[in-house]
Amino acid sequence: MDPLGLLYAAIGMLVYPGGVYLTGLAGVSAWTAGLPRGPASIRAEAWAAIIAAVLAAVLAPMAGSPVAALPPDRGVAPNLVAAAMLLAAACALATHQRWSTRRLAAALGLGVPWLALAVGAASIQLPVIAGVPGTTLAAARWCTAAATLIAAPLVTQPFDAGVALGPRAVMLGALMLMALSIALAGTVTSGSAPLEALVVIAAGALYALLLRLLQRAVVVEHAALVVSCLACAGAATLLALLAARG
């Protein structure tokens, strides 16, 4: 990695869209959703989960992201594979509950549409996936965002008081950031980094409020949530594949 790439990666991790910004998003969301505090101490694996989630958030295609602005040959690759591996590692490290069938189905609904988007955009680079024009692919991105937001609480278990609040909030925040950044791509907000940053915080707060209202359904992994997630994932996959053919 060249010095410029290293500097941009550091800014992305420590300030925006990771670090300070992700912490703010996670904090607002945790407070609005009324997430339980859980244990005061954070285990070593939970710290590793936080780091993985922050690194994944750095790769989000947010407007003005220093990492997204760098071309791949400058040593930083904000690609889908890296983000997916980091988020999967974070979930595996921070959540200690066994994975039920419904939770696994939600994880499938979370991952498949992102892979379909990569096929539709003919790239695994997140800035490219977010930036490819076209109504069909834009609709696929919105459906992918919806599937991600529905699956996120089922996968991360944010109301599990047996896990410290920090890793739960950061994981949820990272998934929200990925979903909202891909949904807002190509809209009026994507032309202004401050505007998009504020919109994501506001949308995250509204989403967290909805989670608060649906807390019981999230905790019991209600079938309606899983079906909704899979429906959005199916629509996103179909639209992305249609875009690839076009």
Side-chain angles (χ1 to χ4, degrees):
M1 180 183 293
D2 67 9
L4 181 60
L6 184 61
L7 175 62
Y8 275 30
I11 294 173
M13 183 173 180
L14 297 175
V15 183
Y16 173 86
V20 174
Y21 182 74
L22 178 60
T23 300
L25 176 62
V28 168
S29 302
W31 180 80
T32 308
L35 301 186
R37 287 190 174 275
S41 60
I42 300 179
R43 299 171 299 162
E45 56 267 33
W47 279 113
I50 291 174
I51 293 172
V54 170
L55 289 173
V58 170
L59 304 179
M62 291 284 290
S65 169
V67 175
L70 278 177
D73 60 0
R74 299 305 293 270
V76 179
N79 70 68
L80 179 60
V81 175
M85 291 179 64
L86 287 165
L87 288 171
C91 288
L93 287 167
T95 57
H96 63 270
Q97 291 187 7
R98 63 183 298 272
W99 286 71
S100 65
T101 302
R102 290 181 179 180
R103 194 177 177 199
L104 289 171
L108 182 67
L110 171 62
V112 169
W114 286 93
L115 296 177
L117 279 183
V119 174
S123 174
I124 62 170
Q125 301 299 319
L126 285 167
V128 175
I129 293 172
V132 173
T135 304
T136 304
L137 202 56
R141 287 194 290 262
W142 275 93
C143 289
T144 298
T148 302
L149 292 174
I150 297 171
L154 299 174
V155 172
T156 62
Q157 302 285 298
F159 295 103
D160 181 8
V163 178
L165 176 59
R168 286 182 283 125
V170 171
M171 284 193 301
L172 184 63
L175 284 171
M176 279 194 295
L177 189 60
M178 293 295 294
L180 294 172
S181 64
I182 205 75
L184 293 172
T187 65
V188 65
T189 63
S190 61
S192 169
L195 177 59
E196 182 163 310
L198 288 174
V199 168
V200 168
I201 292 288
L206 290 174
Y207 169 72
L209 180 60
L210 182 60
L211 286 185
R212 187 175 195 141
L213 298 175
L214 296 175
Q215 177 177 350
R216 179 169 176 77
V218 170
V219 171
V220 301
E221 299 173 3
H222 199 284
L225 292 177
V226 179
V227 171
S228 299
C229 172
L230 294 177
C232 291
T237 301
L238 178 60
L239 288 167
L241 295 179
L242 287 174
R245 291 189 62 182

